Structures are given as structure tokens and as C-alpha cells.
Amino acid sequence: MSRRLFLLTALLVVLLAALPAPISAADDKQPAAAASPDAALETAPVEIDGQLLFRVRGASSYPAAQRAEAIRNRVEKVAADESFRSSELRTEEVDNSTTIMAGQEFLLAVSDGDAKVERYSRQHLADLHLARIRQAIEDYRRLRSSDALLRGALYTAGATVALLAGIALLVFLGRRLEDKLSQRLKNRIHAVGIQSFEIVRAETIWQALHGILYATRATVMLLLGFIYLHVVLALFPWTRGTANNLFGLIKRGVGEVGKRGAALVPDLIILVVIYYLFRFVLRVLRHFFEAVERKSVTLHGFEAEWAVPTYKLVRLAIIAFGIIIAYPYIPGSQSAAFKGVSLFVGVVFSLGSSTAISNIIAGYLMTYRRVFKVGDRVKVGEIVGDVMAVRLQVTHLLTLKNEEVTVPNSQILNGDVVNFSSMAGSKGLILHTIVGIGYETPWRQVEAMLLEAAKRTPGILREPRPYILIKALADF
């Protein structure tokens, strides 16, 4: 009981001690809430050579950025006038504001609203602004003196030499390190595999290690370049502001890239899913048509030689369908530049591929019409030869003189094709020739000689018997 009483007492003490904190916090928030309208006002920095002097607020008719720019221009104009001494800066009371004057030149007016935002009295805030302006004028002149500029140039030259020396040293040390690793580790790196199947080759592992070393060296070079830029830009007054904001610029750039990259993550995930889904479908179809080609799977009315071209057509249709589905999720696909490039590529493709597309379509039509197949002896126009290969756009023929002739598929489809091999295997092929004889020659004797010559020719069938057809009675 005593232990419980002690714990209860300690708990009450802690609660009582914690009660004033929220009350005081609430009390502290009261002035902040009262000052929130002024605190919410937009302010802009007044900077000289990258150094912040103070911030000023604006009004709906006179934005803060415009007011800060005007003050900066007036201060720089006074600072550029060597005849004016910074000790001659003064403040004057004008109506309900305190103005800062440089001789007869007006620089800045401090109002009660400005003082309320800074939570100072108006005169005290004006004195602080005057001191900052005086220091800025002195720094402005000092940094633009010939001694300061010469010193900056010398420091820049030294920094450049140091940067080049650092890069050369990095390259030298990087090569030495690669040589050492090559001597000690390259022979010890072995392929990763299961039994005789290599999952990761040794060369791939070494290339990955080499890439890591190269990336590390490049990162160090980029860091040296950043330090060099920061130092050199800070040496001169015109670029000091850029030097001060260099890290912020890089940080904002990286942050913006990271933010946009994070926004693209859902679309990239969808693209990856679409890619692997269509890849799986294409793999299944490829195995199916390979089985059809091997005649492991037979389809009624579907020839085995149609398997490969049919798979190519189906693959093309599926890839086109996948691109249509994935297009809205491609980063930048909705931008005007992306649409312009797509339109340009489409116009170029349509103008330059009309003949190619017609040949491709003709090639597939020939395949499904079974005009001929590889190995057939055909006659296309005046060309007689054996079919060597049927491509998407052209067909290769080997003539009787061992000449390879390339014929466009559209020409074959639009012309007459004589296939000497399609019926030769089942019904045979009637070989024929035309001869002419004079009227003074006994035509019965010529017919008998021709029939005897056909009978003596090897490979000629007995049935159907050879025959002679008289076609015309002309001059001979």
C-alpha cells in the first residue's frame, strides 16, 4: 500500500508539473496569432554581391521583390560613386516613416509596418538597416579594387592548377588501383553457377567491379569540381551570389529530380508489369508455334510452314497493342515535345516505308497462298531458278547458271509465277519444246524421230505417252 501511495503521489506531482506548460504555450501563441497577419506578408531579400542585408515587405501595389530590387539598385549606384563617403549616410524622419539618405539620394524608407514585422522600433530598425548599408558600400568598393581582383585572379589560377593536379592524381591512382586489383583479384574471380550452368560469368563480375571503381572516381571528380566552382565564384563580387546559392541550386535540382522521380514511380511500376506480362505471353506463343512447326501440335487446315510467319505477325500485333497500352504511362508522353517527335517519326516512317511495307505484306500473302516454298523451281517473269530463301521483303532465287537473283515480293505477287515443282511430285511435269520444220521435210519422219528421242530420255514416264501437237501452218 505504501508503494502504491508513493507511485500515485509521484504521478500527481508529474501531472501538476506538466500543466503549466500547455498553458504557457497557449499564452505564447497569442501574440503569434495576433501577429500572424503581418508575419504572413510576403518579404523579399535585399542582397549586394550575394550578401543578405535585410528583408523588406511589400504591398499589393508594390510587391516585395520589386521593392527589394529598387533598394539594391540605389545602394549599388551610391556604392559605385567613389566621391561619396559611407559615413555620410543618415536617417531622417518624414511623416510616419524614417528614411535613409545618402547625401541627397533616397535609399530606403522604414515604416511602422516594417518595424512591426521585425518587432523593433522604427528608429532602431532604421539604424540597423543604415549600418548594414554602410558595411555593404565599403565591401562593394573593397571587393572591386584592383588589389582584390588581382588576388582573386591569382587564387583562381592556383585553384585551377590544384583542380587539374587533383584530377590527374585521381586518374593515376585509379589506374594503379585497377592494375593492382587486376593482378590480385582477376584470377581469383570465378563464375557463379550451378554445376555446368553459369549464372554470372567471371567477366561480368570483373566488369561490375571496374564500373564501381570508375563511378567512385567520377564522383570524387564531381566533388572536386563543385568545390572548385564554389571557391572560384566566391572570389569575385559579381559571382559571389551564385557561389552562395550553388549548394542550394544543386540541392533544389536534386530535390526536384527526386520529387519528379517519386511521382513517376507508379507509372514505372505499371510499365514494368506490362513489359513482363507481354513478355510472358510472347514466350508462350513462341513455344506454341515452335511446336506447330515441329508438328508436335497439329491444327486442322494450318500448314506447318505457316508457323514462323504467323508467329511474327501475332508478335507484331501484340507488341503494337502493348505499346498502345503503355503509351500513357511513358514519362513525358503527354508533353508537346514528345508528341511532336512521335508525329515526326510517324511521318518519316510513312513516307519512307511504303514500298517496304508493300513487300512485307506481299511476302506474307505469298506464304499463306502457298505460291511456292524453299527448294521449288519457279519461273518469275523471265527468271527461272530454285527458291533459296523467302524473306519479309524479297525472295532469293538460284538460277540454272548459279546466279543469285533477288526479286521483290510485291513484284512476285503482282506478276505470274510458274511453279515447276508443286505438281511434279504427284502428277509429274510435262516437259515441252517447240520445233519448226520446212514443208519439204517429211513431217511423219520428224514426228517419229521426236517420239523416239523422248522414249530414249531417262526419267520420262511411259504413261501418259509423249505426244506432238501441230500448232500452226506458217511459212515453215
Side-chain angles (χ1 to χ4, degrees):
M1 290 294 294
S2 59
R3 182 178 298 176
R4 292 180 180 177
L5 183 60
F6 174 76
L7 292 176
L8 181 61
T9 304
L11 180 60
L12 290 175
V13 171
V14 171
L15 291 176
L16 291 174
L19 283 177
I23 296 174
S24 61
D27 293 338
D28 291 340
K29 290 180 181 179
Q30 295 300 326
S36 59
D38 294 326
L41 290 175
E42 181 185 2
T43 61
V46 179
E47 296 181 350
I48 304 293
D49 292 340
Q51 296 296 325
L52 176 64
L53 304 185
F54 44 81
R55 301 183 69 89
V56 294
R57 71 171 192 167
S60 58
S61 59
Y62 196 30
Q66 186 176 350
R67 183 186 178 194
E69 181 68 16
I71 295 171
R72 183 183 68 83
N73 292 334
R74 289 193 290 265
V75 172
E76 288 184 349
K77 180 180 177 181
V78 172
D81 186 5
E82 296 289 344
S83 62
F84 177 78
R85 295 193 298 272
S86 60
S87 59
E88 297 179 3
L89 290 172
R90 69 183 189 280
T91 60
E92 292 183 359
E93 294 293 330
V94 178
D95 296 333
N96 294 326
S97 63
T98 302
T99 61
I100 300 176
M101 305 293 293
Q104 300 301 320
E105 295 287 338
F106 169 77
L107 297 182
L108 169 65
V110 180
S111 64
D112 292 331
D114 296 329
K116 187 177 181 182
V117 172
E118 299 287 349
R119 297 186 182 182
Y120 286 112
S121 65
R122 189 178 70 193
Q123 183 60 44
H124 183 56
L125 183 61
D127 292 339
L128 291 177
H129 286 356
L130 186 144
R132 292 291 293 164
I133 292 174
R134 179 180 290 116
Q135 183 64 40
I137 291 175
E138 294 174 357
D139 292 342
Y140 184 91
R141 295 172 179 176
R142 176 176 56 81
L143 292 175
R144 285 166 175 77
S145 63
S146 57
D147 293 340
L149 295 178
L150 179 60
R151 186 167 54 252
L154 293 176
Y155 285 157
T156 300
T160 304
V161 173
L163 175 66
L164 296 178
I167 293 176
L169 181 61
L170 277 175
V171 173
F172 174 74
L173 293 178
R175 291 178 178 176
R176 290 293 301 273
L177 181 59
E178 288 180 4
D179 294 339
K180 293 291 184 181
L181 290 177
S182 178
Q183 295 175 1
R184 295 188 178 185
L185 297 180
K186 193 169 184 179
N187 294 331
R188 300 182 182 180
I189 295 177
H190 303 286
V192 178
I194 301 175
Q195 296 181 1
S196 61
F197 179 71
E198 290 185 353
I199 300 176
V200 182
R201 301 178 60 187
E203 292 79 4
T204 305
I205 299 176
W206 174 249
Q207 290 175 0
L209 181 60
H210 178 77
I212 293 174
L213 294 176
Y214 182 81
T216 303
R217 185 169 59 188
T219 303
V220 176
M221 288 184 181
L222 289 176
L223 181 60
L224 290 178
F226 174 79
I227 296 173
Y228 170 80
L229 284 177
H230 181 76
V231 171
V232 171
L233 294 176
L235 292 174
F236 301 97
W238 304 279
T239 56
R240 177 168 293 184
T242 304
N244 295 336
N245 297 328
L246 188 60
F247 180 76
L249 292 174
I250 296 177
K251 183 179 179 181
R252 286 194 296 271
V254 174
E256 187 67 21
V257 171
K259 186 183 299 182
R260 293 189 178 184
L264 294 176
V265 167
D267 292 343
L268 294 177
I269 293 176
I270 294 175
L271 289 176
V272 170
V273 171
I274 292 174
Y275 169 76
Y276 281 103
L277 176 62
F278 279 84
R279 182 181 178 184
F280 172 76
V281 173
L282 290 176
R283 183 177 298 177
V284 172
L285 287 175
R286 179 168 59 85
H287 291 319
F288 173 75
F289 282 107
E290 286 178 353
V292 173
E293 185 183 16
R294 295 192 305 266
K295 297 183 179 181
S296 301
V297 176
T298 57
L299 300 175
H300 179 69
F302 191 89
E303 301 294 335
E305 59 266 18
W306 294 351
V308 175
T310 304
Y311 168 69
K312 292 180 179 179
L313 281 176
V314 174
R315 181 181 63 181
L316 180 62
I318 291 177
I319 291 176
F321 181 66
I323 292 175
I324 293 173
I325 294 178
Y327 182 84
Y329 302 100
I330 299 176
S333 60
Q334 304 302 324
S335 63
F338 193 93
K339 294 178 180 178
V341 172
S342 302
L343 180 62
F344 175 76
V345 172
V347 171
V348 172
F349 181 78
S350 61
L351 292 177
S353 61
S354 57
T355 304
I357 292 177
S358 64
N359 286 329
I360 292 174
I361 295 175
Y364 279 107
L365 290 177
M366 288 191 309
T367 300
Y368 290 107
R369 290 183 180 180
R370 304 184 67 181
V371 178
F372 47 71
K373 61 181 181 293
V374 176
D376 287 353
R377 175 162 294 183
V378 297
K379 179 180 180 182
V380 180
E382 299 298 327
I383 303 172
V384 178
D386 298 333
V387 180
M388 296 176 57
V390 181
R391 308 294 183 188
L392 283 178
Q393 297 192 37
V394 297
T395 297
H396 297 270
L397 301 179
L398 181 65
T399 67
L400 303 178
K401 299 178 181 179
N402 282 337
E403 299 169 335
E404 182 178 354
V405 181
T406 302
V407 184
N409 289 334
S410 58
Q411 178 180 339
I412 298 176
L413 189 65
N414 295 327
D416 296 331
V417 178
V418 178
N419 192 331
F420 299 105
S421 302
S422 58
M423 306 300 294
S426 58
K427 297 183 178 181
L429 181 66
I430 298 178
L431 300 179
H432 64 279
T433 185
I434 298 176
V435 298
I437 60 174
Y439 286 104
E440 69 279 4
T441 304
W443 62 270
R444 294 184 183 276
Q445 183 180 358
V446 174
E447 283 191 0
M449 294 173 63
L450 291 175
L451 292 174
E452 183 64 24
K455 186 184 301 183
R456 294 182 181 183
T457 302
I460 299 297
L461 298 178
R462 297 287 183 180
E463 295 292 337
R465 299 179 62 183
Y467 64 91
I468 295 172
L469 176 65
I470 301 176
K471 298 181 63 177
L473 297 174
D475 294 336
F476 55 85

